[in-house]
Amino acid sequence: MEKKLRELFDFQKFEKNADLQAVIDKVHARHSALELSDDDVSFVAAAGMPETALKRKRPGEEEK
Amino acid sequence: MNPSDLENIYATYSGKVMGYLMARLQCRADAEDLCASVFEKVLRKWEEYDEEKASVSTWIFTITRNTVIDYYRKTKPALELDENIASEEAVDDAMLQEETLGELAAALKKLPNDLQTIVVLAYYDQKPLTEIAKIMHLSYGAVKLRHQKALAMLRESMGA
């Protein structure tokens, strides 16, 4: 069974059967949602408090 | 093969060949070189193609896959090829059909999400079970057990 699965998934990278690709994409989506993107990571400061990473507006400072 | 036949084959299969090569090599320049090599072989071997043995798609896939194996042997001889691409056994042409991919999709849909995840990460993404365990926040032992359960369920669904 393992060899069959390896062969079929390898063939899928070539043939791209729509039904099977939908299953693969759903699995990837489920797991990428658990991982932060690089952009999201940049908003998290070392202390883990997102708002500290954002530039604070000083009194009298105009927003750009 | 006349030029218009080759043109039709190229138009039909170049996307699939490049898609596979990019998935394997992750380098566009190398993929493009190998793609050219694949179609040179298709042209050279066309007279040998036997439609009773395999579909055109499976035949071209086999050429593409063997081209990747040769590429790795030449460029990374010290690298231990993974079992998936190292096998010198003939690809089972009867199994490699669009229909069988559909059967696999149907069988996977019957699995619970966690088992589906293990199968896709292990066999499509080729991740080891240790890495899958970290991704799924499970122990290695738990993933190993679930992997076996997934295989048993797929064997039952697909009659393998």
Side-chain angles (χ1 to χ4, degrees):
Chain A
M1 189 71 222
E2 287 164 271
K3 182 174 189 284
K4 185 172 180 174
L5 287 175
R6 275 194 294 271
E7 299 260 346
L8 286 174
F9 277 111
D10 196 43
F11 185 46
Q12 173 62 13
K13 289 173 183 173
F14 179 86
E15 194 66 28
K16 295 219 189 330
N17 172 277
D19 274 346
L20 183 52
Q21 197 59 45
V23 174
I24 292 166
D25 290 345
K26 263 192 192 165
V27 168
H28 288 165
R30 273 203 295 272
H31 289 280
S32 66
L34 296 176
E35 294 171 0
L36 289 175
S37 66
D38 288 340
D39 287 343
D40 291 339
V41 165
S42 69
F43 286 107
V44 178
M49 294 169 66
E51 60 271 19
T52 61
L54 295 173
K55 190 174 176 182
R56 291 186 186 280
K57 199 169 85 173
R58 292 179 189 159
E61 187 181 46
E62 286 180 9
E63 281 191 29
K64 287 182 185 173
Chain B
M1 185 192 286
N2 65 51
S4 78
D5 284 343
L6 181 63
E7 208 176 300
N8 287 337
I9 285 180
Y10 186 82
T12 306
Y13 293 103
S14 59
K16 290 184 178 188
V17 170
M18 272 302 290
Y20 179 81
L21 292 172
M22 283 299 295
R24 278 269 167 240
L25 306 177
Q26 324 239 310
C27 170
R28 177 156 281 274
D30 289 347
E32 285 172 355
D33 285 345
L34 289 197
C35 186
S37 175
V38 165
F39 284 98
E40 277 168 4
K41 290 177 189 175
V42 167
L43 180 61
R44 204 167 62 239
K45 296 181 180 208
W46 183 250
E47 297 304 319
E48 297 167 26
Y49 167 63
D50 181 351
E51 65 183 5
E52 288 186 18
K53 284 187 180 170
S55 66
V56 173
S57 183
T58 302
W59 183 68
I60 292 177
F61 168 67
T62 306
I63 291 173
T64 307
R65 188 171 134 144
N66 289 343
T67 302
V68 171
I69 291 172
D70 290 342
Y71 166 82
Y72 274 121
R73 289 212 167 104
K74 283 175 197 163
T75 58
K76 294 171 186 177
L79 182 68
E80 214 171 282
L81 296 176
D82 73 55
E83 206 178 320
N84 192 24
I85 61 169
S87 173
E88 299 219 15
E89 291 174 28
V91 170
D92 185 349
D93 294 345
M95 184 181 69
L96 295 185
Q97 295 175 33
E98 177 78 31
E99 203 178 282
T100 323
L101 294 178
E103 285 171 18
L104 176 57
L108 280 173
K109 284 177 192 174
K110 292 180 191 171
L111 299 183
N113 283 353
D114 58 339
L115 301 192
Q116 221 181 65
T117 297
I118 289 170
V119 172
V120 169
L121 294 183
Y123 295 99
Y124 183 82
D125 295 300
Q126 298 181 313
K127 293 190 185 299
L129 294 186
T130 46
E131 193 176 333
I132 295 171
K134 285 179 193 165
I135 292 168
M136 296 179 72
H137 306 292
L138 294 170
S139 69
Y140 171 69
V143 168
K144 210 170 154 190
L145 270 173
R146 289 174 201 208
H147 172 240
Q148 290 305 317
K149 189 175 172 186
L151 293 182
M153 290 179 73
L154 289 174
R155 249 180 234 117
E156 201 178 318
S157 289
M158 298 180 73

